[in-house]
Every structure is written in structure tokens, then in C-alpha cells.
Amino acid sequence: DAQRARRTRRTNTALQAASQTMGADGLKSIQYSGSGYNFALGQSVNPRAPWPKFNVKSYTRVINYETASSREEMVRTQFENPPRGGGAQPIIGEQRQVLAVGGSGTFAWNVAGDTATSVPATAEERALQIWLTSHGFLKSAQTSAPRITTRTVGGHKMHTVSFLCSGKFKVRGTINDQNLVERVETRIANPVLGDMLTVTTYSDYKDFDGIKFPTRIVQSQGGFPVLDLTITEVMANAPADIQAPDSVRAGSAPTVRVETQKIADGVWYLTGGTHHSAAVEFKDHVVVIEGPQNEERSLAVIAEVKKLAPNKPIRYLVNTHHHFDHSGGIRAFGAEGATIVTHQINKAFYERASRAPRTLGPDKLSQPGKPMAIVTMRDKMVLSDGARVLELHHIRGNLHNDGIIMAYLPKEKILIEADVFTPPAPNTPAPPTPNPFTVNLYENLQRLKLEVNQIAPLHGRLVTMADLLKALGKAS
């Protein structure tokens, strides 16, 4: 008891000193602005590369600590030239993003123009990010029975404060001998990386009307930066009435829908969301192309395939590329017993990710005795039962992803591809400059002499080769 009392006094002293120095006491809300860069998590050009980088011309964040709400607004422009990787590159001109969370983490939404779109899957992380800020960390720690350890580094006393945030996330932060928060880290569930390390560093503190605030904020996730800001303006207790729009509050929890469109005998286009899959039936098994987003989506796709081809197992899951929105569900197929077919460059990455702890988001493959089988290809692989043929081709030289794969049914003349051509809405004029990823796709089709009638993109809608040619400004 005496030891616990001493530890409590030590903790309270360190936190109180930091709160007083940084001006966290009495701070109900804050607004800070600046510029810098952000990065598209899980969208790297290959599994070893950093996440793609974007310019952030302007950035403003408002946080209400009392209501656990936050609103970020930024204006982004293209950084990568030529565009390399995903993240909806290339950005043409300026792109405004508004990302918000409110209702104590109950509601999350994005704003585009005058339209607010509910994004409930992001609510938990966005709410957590409030308490990972320099001042939010101090506020959360003081109400969460923290533990503290003190060590001396280079003659400077450093305090490490650890606590459980929101009853789930283990948060650890460092307070330096100037009573300033230097670093905050935790782990967040990620469908690909498992318990993904998230580290935020704070430096170059300045005084803003009695509030000490870092003018450099850098956050990394999965080992690479996702945010790098230089802060120039800070306002304490700024107006922060952040309310979820009525349309967001009234919205029900989204359900995973899988809609089926038969595009040839034994070939189905599986849509119903933002990310699609395709299923190809063979004599005694099925091949599914793409397990996107997360386990929930892929389990729904698996259930639909079992209805379409009863009593035929899913033998292979073709993974077009490693981008997290296209690989987040492959583990569900692995747990189903399917072998994952992917490009050679992804093998070591997937094997390493499969060994990562998944305490925050356990899935079916986390269960004992559920290994994931992987086979790889380089330029071409053919899957055939003697009657049906499915060709897999590497899209050589595509800057969207170094190992991206397309699927082709030569008899049916159907192409299945992801991200390199996402058709616009009908009757949309061709862009002034064709997307470089689409230009490269066309060059590969020409190189391989693939005759294509239908294209089943894994975003968007079923189209024909004429639509691809129109997007390129070519006569059909």
C-alpha cells in the first residue's frame, strides 16, 4: 500500500507538472492550424515502400475535450510526381477533406461539398486520436489510473506514463524534464497488420497565449509516417460545437451487401459495396478474385459464393495487390481453406503480417490450427481444369503497384482488374489528361495481345472495352 501510494504521488506530480506547464488545466477545447504532409496508409507502391505522400497546403483541427469530438479540415495537392501508389492518386488541382467524430465517439463522418457521409467504421479510432494528442494525453491519463516509471537519459529525467484508454487501448507516453509531452504510442486493430503500432511525436514547443503547444507533430502507423505537420496557430478554448449532422445521426448501422451479376456462364460479378469481387466456377471448385476491405466483407462474399456454387470449395483467392483495401479480407479466405494467389513481392509481407498479434481484432485465422497457404506468381499464371481457363497477368510497369495482377478469361474475353481503371459515371466526358495507371493498363493489354470485350472493375461498374478507350481519348 505504501509503495502504491508513493507511485500514485509520483504519477500525480509528473502529470500535474506537465498539465500546468502545457496549460492543459482548464483547457476545454483547442484549435490548431498549419501545413505539411499526410500519407495514405496501406497504399504503398510495394510492401517495402513508405505510404504515398500528399501536400497539405492548409490544416485546421478543432477538438472539444468535454464532448470527445473533433473536426479536421485540410486542403491537399498531389506530391508524388509521377504518381506512385494508391490513395486515389493523382489528385487534380486541390482536394478538400473534412474528417469528424462526435457524440463521444458514437458518430464519425466525412464532408464533401455540402454532403456529410457517415463512416462508422472510423469512429473508434478517430475518438482515440483525441486522447493521443499532446494535451488529450494528459487529460486522459489523469482519469485512467496511470502507472509511471522514471529514468535518466543523458542526465535528463524522463517519465513514462502508461494507462488503459477507453477500457481497451494501452497508451504509453513520455514526458521530458521540461514537463512537455514528447511521444505517445498505442496499437490499433488493422485487418492486415493486426495490432498496428501508432506513434506520435511532439517537438518544437512554443507558447501560444499561455498554452505550450508543439509546432511539429509527426505520426507514424505501421512503421511509416501518416502525418507530418508544422503548426503555426493555436487557439485555446476555441468555439468547438461539433455536432453530427441529422443525416448521420439518423443513419442505421450499415449492412454488408453482396449483389450478384452473372456476366458469363459460371462467372459472377460480386458487387454491393465500394469494393467488388468476382467468382469463377470450375468443375470441382471455385476461384474468387479479390478479398477486399475486411473479414466482414469477405465472409459475406464467401457466403454468396457458396449459394452460387454449392458443394464446390473455394480453392483459390486471387489477390490483385497488397493495398489494404484490397487485401484486408484475404485472411477470411485463408481461414476458409483457400490458397492465396498473389505476386511474389507480397509473400514475405503477408507471412510477416500473419504472425503479428491480433489481440484488438481477432479473426477466424487467429484461431489455432488455421495457417494461411500462399502461392506466388511473377509474370503469368494459368488456372485451368481442362475446360475453363483463367489467366493471371502481372500488369508490368504500373506505378499504382509494383506487383499488381489482372485476371483474364480468354474464352469469354472478360478482364477483371482493380484500381488501374475505375470507370466514371455514364456520359462523363473523358478527362483532359488520361490517368497514367489506365494508360499503362492499355499498353499491357496491347503487349499481351489480350482481346477484351467486357471489363469487370473491382471499383465502379461493368463496362466494355469501348469505355476504356473513351477514358483514354481513343476512338473505339
Side-chain angles (χ1 to χ4, degrees):
D1 289 343
Q3 185 178 10
R4 185 182 299 112
R6 285 195 298 271
R7 186 169 63 239
T8 300
R9 285 195 299 271
R10 220 168 36 237
T11 299
N12 289 341
T13 299
L15 290 173
Q16 288 170 359
S19 295
Q20 184 174 1
T21 298
M22 292 173 56
D25 294 335
L27 187 67
K28 297 180 179 180
S29 65
I30 197 165
Q31 176 178 305
Y32 53 94
S33 303
S35 60
Y37 309 95
N38 77 345
F39 306 76
L41 173 70
Q43 297 291 314
S44 53
V45 72
N46 64 63
R48 299 175 299 279
W51 317 132
K53 186 176 185 177
F54 298 84
N55 295 309
V56 176
K57 290 184 61 178
S58 64
Y59 176 95
T60 298
R61 185 176 188 184
V62 180
I63 297 174
N64 187 322
Y65 294 112
E66 293 190 314
T67 61
S69 55
S70 168
R71 185 180 190 274
E72 295 176 274
E73 180 173 348
M74 68 187 85
V75 175
R76 307 193 313 163
T77 61
Q78 184 70 20
F79 178 88
E80 309 279 356
N81 185 24
R84 286 175 56 82
Q89 295 189 71
I91 294 176
I92 307 301
E94 295 184 346
Q95 179 189 71
R96 175 176 174 263
Q97 289 188 332
V98 177
L99 316 173
V101 63
S104 297
T106 304
F107 305 105
W109 65 98
N110 298 338
V111 180
D114 296 325
T115 303
T117 303
S118 179
V119 283
T122 69
E124 184 176 61
E125 180 180 345
R126 289 186 186 180
L128 173 64
Q129 288 282 359
I130 293 171
W131 310 118
L132 301 183
T133 63
S134 53
H135 290 71
F137 168 79
L138 295 174
K139 289 180 171 294
S140 185
Q142 291 184 87
T143 61
S144 303
R147 294 176 62 87
I148 189 168
T149 58
T150 302
R151 69 190 193 283
T152 301
V153 179
H156 300 281
K157 189 172 288 186
M158 309 290 286
H159 305 288
T160 299
V161 180
S162 304
F163 59 93
L164 197 64
C165 184
S166 303
K168 178 177 181 180
F169 300 99
K170 296 178 181 178
V171 175
R172 182 171 64 183
T174 303
I175 300 172
N176 65 23
D177 61 352
Q178 300 176 53
N179 298 322
L180 301 173
V181 175
E182 282 192 349
R183 173 186 172 103
V184 178
E185 65 179 64
T186 189
R187 290 186 180 271
I188 299 170
N190 181 275
V192 177
L193 298 180
D195 296 349
M196 180 180 68
L197 181 64
T198 297
V199 178
T200 314
T201 59
Y202 301 102
S203 60
D204 301 334
Y205 277 80
K206 290 185 179 179
D207 188 281
F208 294 88
D209 294 328
I211 299 294
K212 286 194 181 297
F213 198 85
T215 59
R216 180 82 188 282
I217 301 173
V218 178
Q219 184 172 100
S220 68
Q221 292 187 335
F224 296 108
V226 291
L227 189 66
D228 187 339
L229 295 176
T230 298
I231 303 302
T232 54
E233 297 181 19
V234 178
M235 182 188 304
N237 293 318
D241 184 19
I242 303 168
Q243 300 286 341
D246 291 341
S247 59
V248 173
R249 290 178 175 274
S252 57
T255 57
V256 178
R257 293 185 301 112
V258 179
E259 298 175 357
T260 301
Q261 182 178 357
K262 185 176 180 179
I263 55 178
D265 184 33
V267 183
W268 297 278
Y269 192 33
L270 307 174
T271 63
T274 58
H275 294 63
H276 311 327
S277 301
V280 180
E281 184 179 15
F282 289 78
K283 288 179 181 178
D284 61 354
H285 67 278
V286 178
V287 175
V288 174
I289 300 149
E290 212 72 314
Q293 294 185 293
N294 49 41
E295 182 178 68
E296 186 180 18
R297 176 73 193 173
S298 285
L299 289 177
V301 169
I302 290 168
E304 184 66 16
V305 170
K306 288 182 177 180
K307 295 177 185 176
L308 296 170
N311 304 317
K312 289 188 178 181
I314 299 172
R315 182 173 295 175
Y316 297 108
L317 181 280
V318 177
N319 165 236
T320 62
H321 60 306
H322 86 283
H323 287 172
F324 289 7
D325 59 323
H326 288 270
S327 62
I330 67 172
R331 289 173 57 85
F333 284 89
E336 183 68 19
T339 295
I340 310 304
V341 179
T342 192
H343 194 273
Q344 176 67 31
I345 67 169
N346 300 326
K347 187 172 190 290
F349 171 71
Y350 286 150
E351 289 176 341
R352 185 170 63 252
S354 71
R355 296 190 294 268
R358 293 176 183 270
T359 61
L360 296 168
D363 57 21
K364 288 184 175 295
L365 199 65
S366 304
Q367 300 169 8
K370 288 283 187 179
M372 184 168 70
I374 299 174
V375 298
T376 63
M377 59 166 281
R378 291 186 182 273
D379 291 328
K380 181 179 179 179
M381 176 182 285
V382 177
L383 302 175
S384 177
D385 60 4
R388 163 150 281 155
V389 175
L390 174 64
E391 298 178 1
L392 306 177
H393 295 277
H394 177 219
I395 309 177
R396 188 183 298 174
N398 199 284
L399 295 180
H400 184 76
N401 187 273
D402 289 342
I404 196 163
I405 295 167
M406 59 183 171
Y408 176 66
L409 291 157
K411 179 182 177 182
E412 297 83 359
K413 299 179 182 178
I414 294 173
L415 177 72
I416 301 165
E417 54 78 26
D419 287 359
V420 292
F421 174 49
T422 298
N427 302 317
T428 300
T433 303
N435 186 303
F437 305 147
T438 307
V439 172
N440 172 264
L441 169 65
Y442 179 74
E443 292 170 348
N444 274 270
L445 295 177
Q446 295 293 100
R447 173 180 65 85
L448 295 166
K449 297 180 172 57
L450 301 185
E451 186 177 352
V452 176
N453 288 342
Q454 282 188 301
I455 302 174
L458 299 182
H459 295 289
R461 59 194 174 89
L462 190 68
V463 292
T464 67
M465 189 64 187
D467 292 284
L468 174 66
L469 294 174
K470 180 181 177 182
L472 295 173
K474 299 178 180 291
S476 58

